[in-house]
Each structure stands twice: as C-alpha cells, then as structure tokens.
C-alpha cells in the first residue's frame, strides 16, 4: 500500500506549509517524504514540528530536494517572485507540482511554468483549497441548475482581513520583490476564482478596477477591487483588502435563484460547511414578509478541504505514475483564467482605471 | 383619545397603498380618514377592501381630499412623475406629507416639494419603511460602534427581483412618463439608503455607474449598479435590478467588524428580523477554521416596520399640531441625500459611465 502513496516534498517552510503538511498526512493517497529550506536546521525543525515521518529527508537547499529521485511531487509555498525559477526547475526534474497561489507575477510567467510542466509530462495544480471542499461542488451544482438558479446575472465577492502593523511592515505579501501582487494576489485570487466558478469558468470580456486602491510605499496593493463584465450582460464585482475586518462573501444572483456564503475561502468549521440557496424567493401578497426564503444547505466532510485538495492532486499524479495517463488539464486551465483576470485588474489599476479587455 | 389621532388621507390607490393603509390602522397614533382616486368607485372599493372606518370619506379626485379640512396628513403613492404637482399642492393645503419613494425625478424637483413643505410648516417624510424597523437601529448602533465595527471601509448592497413579463410591459415602474427612474428609483433607492446608513449619512464624493445597465425601449433603467467613493477611502457598490431573483443584501466591512443582512428591505418575518455581526473575526492558528465568527442578532417588534414608520410620522405631525413644534429636518435631509446620489448614478449612466461629483 505504502508504495502506491504519492511521495510529496515540501519546498520552503512558509507558515502555510504547516497546514499543507498536515493535509498531506491526512490524505489517504499521499505521504510526506522530504522538506527543504535554504537552512538545513530550519528544515529539520519544520519536519520535527509538523509530523514528518522519521524516514523523511531534510534538505538545506531546494535543488537537493528537486534532485531526489524518491520525490514524486512537490508542494511549493515560496514567494510569488520565486515561482518562475523554482517551479520550472521542479518540472524539469519531473516533479509534479502543487504551487501556492498566486502562481506567478503574470500570465506570461505562468505560461512558462505550464510549458515546463507539459514538456515534462507532470501534473500542475495550484493550492486553492476551498474549491476542493464538497460544499463548493454543491454550490456549483446549484449555480449550474437551470431550474433552481437559472442564468447568472451578477456575482459579488469579497475577501478582506485586517493585517496587523507587523504584517503590513514585514510580511512577504507586502514586499515588492517577493509577493508584488499584494492583496490582489493573495485575497483577490480567491475572489476572482469564486467569480469564475459562478460564471462556470467563462472569462469576462472587460475588467475595470475600482478607483482608490490602497498601495504601500513600494507600490504593493493593500486594498483594491474591480468590476468584471461579460458579453451577455453578466456583471461581477469584488473587493480584496489587508485593511478591513476578516470577511469572505459570495453573493451570486441568477434569473431564478440566489446563493449566499460568508466563509467561502476557509469554512467556519473544518468538518462541515454551509451556504444559503433560494429559488424563486418571493414576498407574501401584502409584501410584509417572504413566503419563500433562502434555505441553509450544510455539507459535511471527513477530510478538511486542504486534504481533499492533496487527495485530488495525488490521484492525478497516481494516474500518470501508475497508469501512464496524461496530466489533467482542467485545474491548470482554471488557474490560468484566474491569473488572466488578475493581470487585467492590475493593468486597469496601472492605466488609471481604464477598462481592460481580456484575451485568452 | 380619538381626537389626538393624526388623521391620514390616502391619495391614490396603488397596490402599495394596501400595505400602508393597514399600517395606518395598526399605528396607535394615526387613523385612516379618507381616500381619493381619480375614480370615486375605485376609491370606494379600496376603502371597503382595506379596513377604512365607515366614517372615512371617499373622494373621486385628489384635489377634493387635499381640500378636506379634517385631513391632517396625506400618504401619496402616486407615480413619481406626478409627485411634484400633487405633493406641492398637498403642502400648499397644509397637509403633512408622507411621499412614496422615489420622491422625485431629480433633486431639483424634490427641492421644490421641500420648499412647499417648509413654507407651509408641514412635515415631510418619505415612505422608506425598513429604516423604521428596530433592527435597523440595532444595525446602525453596531456600525457606529468604534469598538465593535471600527471605521467603515466598504459596503456592498443589492436589491433585485425578477419582474414577470406583465410587469415589464405594463407596470408604472417601467414607464418613462410615470416612474422614469425604473429600477434605480425603485430598488436602487433602498440600496443607496443602506449605503448612506452605513456611512452615517456622509455623502460620497464621487459616483461611477457600472457598465452595461439594462434599459427598456423607452430608456427606463431595468438593471444598473454603481460604485461610490468617499474622500477618506471608503468604497460602496450597489446593484439593483428587475431582472434577477429576489435578493437584498448589505455587507458592510469596517476596520474591526463586519455586518451581513439578507432581507434588509422587507424582513423575512414581520415580527422579528436578524443580522449577522462579527467583531475581530479571525482564524484559528492553523487557519483551518474560524476561532471567532459572526453571530446572529435578532430584534423583535410588536408592530411591523411600516406601522412604525406611520407611528414616527404621526408623532412628528402631532408635535407640530398639538405642541407648535417645528417640522423635523432629519428625515427630509436623509431623503434629499438619497435623491442626490440617485441623480449622480443616473448622470453617470447618461455620461457614458463617467465619474460624477456630488455637490450638496
């Protein structure tokens, strides 16, 4: 059995790698086999603190891990500006690649990563966890139901959190040489992904950034938003910020139904998550109340969403490793669309909030 | 006791007048005393169907009701394009005025109505019911709490409903000669009011309409949205539509707190209404769930919100009638701000989505 487990190495000991290491341990088809940091001591301490098996290898450089033939796949939580170099090198070393989001500084960089993965025949997946929660599948099922939801008319999302002064001074997500996309790349990534989910992954035609984004002294976005427009009249807006209380909403409105969710990125609870769905909601005759209101749908899961992501990633890797399948294209295609929209928002901000057309 | 009741006449038998007539009956300090329609038969049928007392007078013209010295105040649910004429005439006849929203086609018209009210010393109030629900006071209390909510950073609202084909062909709200402001004047009015409530009635500096509003063949807005910007960086967006499933949300995010509500205009239930409020909501250490999530606050009320509105209106009228007080300025000031923002959204649409500055 152990031989069929996909052996995953962790490249970088960022905070988020703690959660993902636990997820790899929880996933039934994957195992932690190695960890690398630029410092051997830091890697060893990380392995000890995060449930790595005694057999796991500890590396003091990323290269060494990437050259380890026992490593099937890597999880890479490095700062965005380092992705191009290390993700391409991982792919060239035939390592299947689970890459932290935002996947690249722009889609041109991401395409080079994807090309490297395709050349080597390795699986690419980004580490957007919430889409692997079974609640997300239930929401997507509702959103694509012509009877219960109809056609999407508008979707509004937000993801904000109040970073403390230390974060705003020192975190990699506010550094122009590390995660130069700031809150757009971090929180905005999720908002854009939620909008694409609601639009059944149809790209918008036009993106216009909201006025008054907040940038730090190095030009990194701390707070921004945008409106997205489709040919058929669908409209989406989102707002992402490091400067406001923790909030993460999706409100999607169709011709026949409405969906509300308040914890879409990280569900309140690990083992169950809910959303509100209403179909042909309406008032009573005198309009003094609703005779049909949205109802709560709760979806349970044995594994947390990040372990479900690992399970899906390892499943695809196993298909390639053991059954000579081709890498799956669904997930990288969605990743690329997310990055395309993100690029358009950034371009609109840079061009003084001009509308930016999206071209695939 | 009956002599201290404020005697209210209903000018026009629109559908909404049914609900308001019931509200006047329910309010402890008001009474239905008259109804007018352009047709005497229609007025009589309305009075019979809506619980008017046998003593109530039935008029076949609006003028006759306005000239009745026993009428203290009028409720006027006429189409918007008729407001200027009839509201001014009501004020000139010394009738206190409860006017259906949108109050006028633009703020210039509204100012003429207000001037007439001020000249005659009569009370003006618009018929925005939800702000009189005690839940709204509880929400405002939360939004203005520096500890629980902090400073407002963003607020998003929507009010959409799916009008049926008959409505979209025949309702006064889609007729350019009757309610020319369409969904902006109807549903958008509430969104703008909610945004102003969240901003503690500070007017935004700049308003930009969203691309791709939907207009009918006569140029009446069926679906639109806008973004609003304040000097201090606050941002608001709203979306209003006759073309999407019934939905009415407020999400307000402050530096320290978040408010969510899904039934702000018409609460699900008449006697109780809820909202979600969270302060310094946050994740657990491993970011696998929330250690502090928003909690539900429920506010009960003996009287439905529309009866509370009538009670407030009649209270102000009684202050003037029995105690020689001056008319209250709070409500008309809020009405005017709502209309100013509405005008700016319309102007931005007309100017091809250019930013429009708001001047008081």
């Amino acid at each position: 059995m152990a031989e069929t487990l996909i052996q995953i190495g962790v490249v970088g000991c960022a905070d988020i790698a703690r959660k993902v290491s636990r997820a790899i341990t929880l996933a039934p088809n994957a195992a932690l086999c190695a960890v690398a940091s630029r410092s051997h001591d830091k890697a060893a301490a990380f392995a000890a603190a995060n449930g790595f098996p005694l057999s796991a290898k500890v590396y003091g450089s990323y290269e060494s891990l990437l050259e380890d033939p026992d490593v099937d796949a890597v999880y890479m939580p490095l700062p965005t500006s380092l992705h191009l170099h290390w993700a391409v090198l991982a792919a060239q070393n035939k390592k299947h690649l689970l890459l932290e989001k935002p996947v690249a500084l722009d889609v041109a960089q991401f395409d080079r990563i994807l090309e490297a993965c395709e050349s080597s025949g390795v699986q690419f997946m980004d580490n957007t966890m919430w889409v692997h929660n079974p609640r997300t599948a239930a929401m997507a099922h509702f959103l694509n139901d012509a009877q219960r939801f109809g056609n999407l008319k508008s979707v509004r999302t937000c993801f904000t959190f109040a970073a403390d002064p230390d974060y705003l001074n020192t975190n990699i997500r506010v550094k122009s040489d590390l995660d130069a996309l700031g809150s757009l790349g971090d929180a905005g990534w999720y908002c854009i992904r939620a909008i694409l989910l609601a639009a059944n992954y149809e790209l918008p035609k036009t993106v216009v950034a909201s006025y008054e984004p907040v940038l730090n002294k190095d030009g990194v976005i701390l707070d921004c938003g945008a409106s997205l427009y489709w040919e058929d009249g669908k409209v989406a807006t989102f707002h992402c910020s490091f400067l406001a209380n923790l909030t993460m909403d999706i409100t999607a409105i169709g011709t026949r139904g409405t969906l509300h969710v308040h914890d879409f990125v990280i569900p309140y609870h690990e083992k169950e998550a809910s959303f509100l769905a209403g179909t042909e909601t309406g008032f009573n005759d005198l309009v003094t109340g609703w005779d049909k209101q949205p109802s709560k749908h709760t979806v349970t899961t044995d594994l947390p969403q990040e372990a479900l992501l690992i399970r899906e990633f390892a499943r695809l890797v196993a298909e390639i490793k053991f059954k000579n399948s081709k890498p799956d294209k669904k997930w990288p295609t969605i990743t690329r669309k997310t990055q395309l929209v993100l690029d358009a928002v950034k371009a609109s901000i840079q061009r003084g909030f001009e509308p930016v057309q999206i071209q695939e």
Side-chain angles (χ1 to χ4, degrees), chain A residues 16 19-20 23 75 100-101 126-133 136 190 193 264-266 305-309:
Chain A
I16 182 72
K19 177 173 173 176
V20 175
Y75 164 58
E100 197 46 75
K101 37 58 53 185
D126 76 44
N127 196 40
T128 308
M129 300 165 177
W130 70 272
V131 296
H132 298 274
N133 194 303
T136 305
Y190 296 106
R193 179 65 65 89
F264 80 96
V265 180
I266 308 284
Q305 60 186 18
E306 58 274 15
L308 294 171
L309 177 148

Side-chain angles (χ1 to χ4, degrees), chain A residues 81-295:
Chain A
S81 62
L82 305 182
H83 284 190
L84 178 61
H85 176 77
W86 292 108
V88 166
L89 196 64
Q92 287 170 345
N93 280 279
K94 310 284 185 200
K95 304 307 180 197
H96 302 279
L97 180 61
L98 176 63
L99 187 59
E100 197 46 75
K101 37 58 53 185
V103 290
L105 292 174
D106 56 40
V107 79
Q109 282 195 354
F110 180 61
D111 282 345
R112 290 174 58 192
I113 295 172
L114 263 193
E115 282 158 25
C117 290
E118 284 173 13
S119 295
S120 290
V122 297
Q123 182 65 44
F124 175 89
M125 189 182 283
D126 76 44
N127 196 40
T128 308
M129 300 165 177
W130 70 272
V131 296
H132 298 274
N133 194 303
R135 175 179 62 174
T136 305
M139 294 195 303
H141 189 69
F142 175 71
L143 293 167
N144 287 299
D145 187 321
Q147 288 306 307
R148 290 193 296 156
F149 187 74
N151 300 315
L152 179 69
K153 298 297 282 184
S154 76
V155 51
R156 287 164 300 116
T157 71
C158 67
F159 183 13
T160 65
F161 59 87
D164 59 34
D166 185 51
Y167 184 108
L168 292 175
N169 281 318
T170 64
N171 193 281
I172 60 164
R173 291 183 187 80
V174 298
K175 297 295 179 188
S176 57
D177 58 341
L178 296 171
D179 277 341
L181 297 170
S183 73
L184 176 60
D186 187 47
W189 176 274
Y190 296 106
C191 296
I192 293 168
R193 179 65 65 89
I195 289 168
L196 288 172
L197 177 87
N200 203 17
Y201 302 106
E202 182 194 345
L203 278 169
K205 179 184 62 172
T206 308
V207 172
V208 192
S210 305
Y211 292 12
E212 300 183 6
V214 179
L215 281 64
N216 72 9
K217 61 180 170 22
D218 300 323
V220 176
I221 297 164
L222 302 180
D223 177 300
C224 73
S227 296
L228 289 62
Y229 301 93
W230 283 256
E231 287 276 5
D232 67 356
K234 282 194 292 284
V235 181
T237 64
F238 77 86
H239 177 221
C240 59
S241 181
F242 291 158
L243 306 175
N245 186 57
L246 178 60
T247 310
M248 45 176 83
D249 277 13
I250 304 172
T251 303
I253 313 178
T255 48
R256 296 171 63 87
T258 304
L259 177 140
H260 304 277
V261 59
H262 295 307
D263 59 348
F264 80 96
V265 180
I266 308 284
Y268 293 137
H269 307 290
E270 213 176 30
K271 298 292 177 75
E272 66 168 49
S274 301
F275 61 96
L276 287 173
T279 297
E280 293 192 333
T281 44
F283 299 131
N284 60 24
D285 172 57
L286 209 55
V287 193
T288 57
W290 298 42
D291 60 6
K292 192 166 177 204
Q293 63 186 75
S295 58

Side-chain angles (χ1 to χ4, degrees), chain A residues 41-97:
Chain A
D41 286 354
K42 194 175 167 193
F46 185 89
N50 288 282
F52 279 61
L54 291 176
S55 59
K57 287 177 248 182
V58 173
Y59 291 108
S61 81
Y62 305 149
E63 291 92 336
S64 335
L65 188 149
L66 296 181
E67 289 165 2
D68 182 339
D70 294 335
V71 173
D72 293 318
V74 293
Y75 164 58
M76 191 172 283
L78 300 175
T80 315
S81 62
L82 305 182
H83 284 190
L84 178 61
H85 176 77
W86 292 108
V88 166
L89 196 64
Q92 287 170 345
N93 280 279
K94 310 284 185 200
K95 304 307 180 197
H96 302 279
L97 180 61

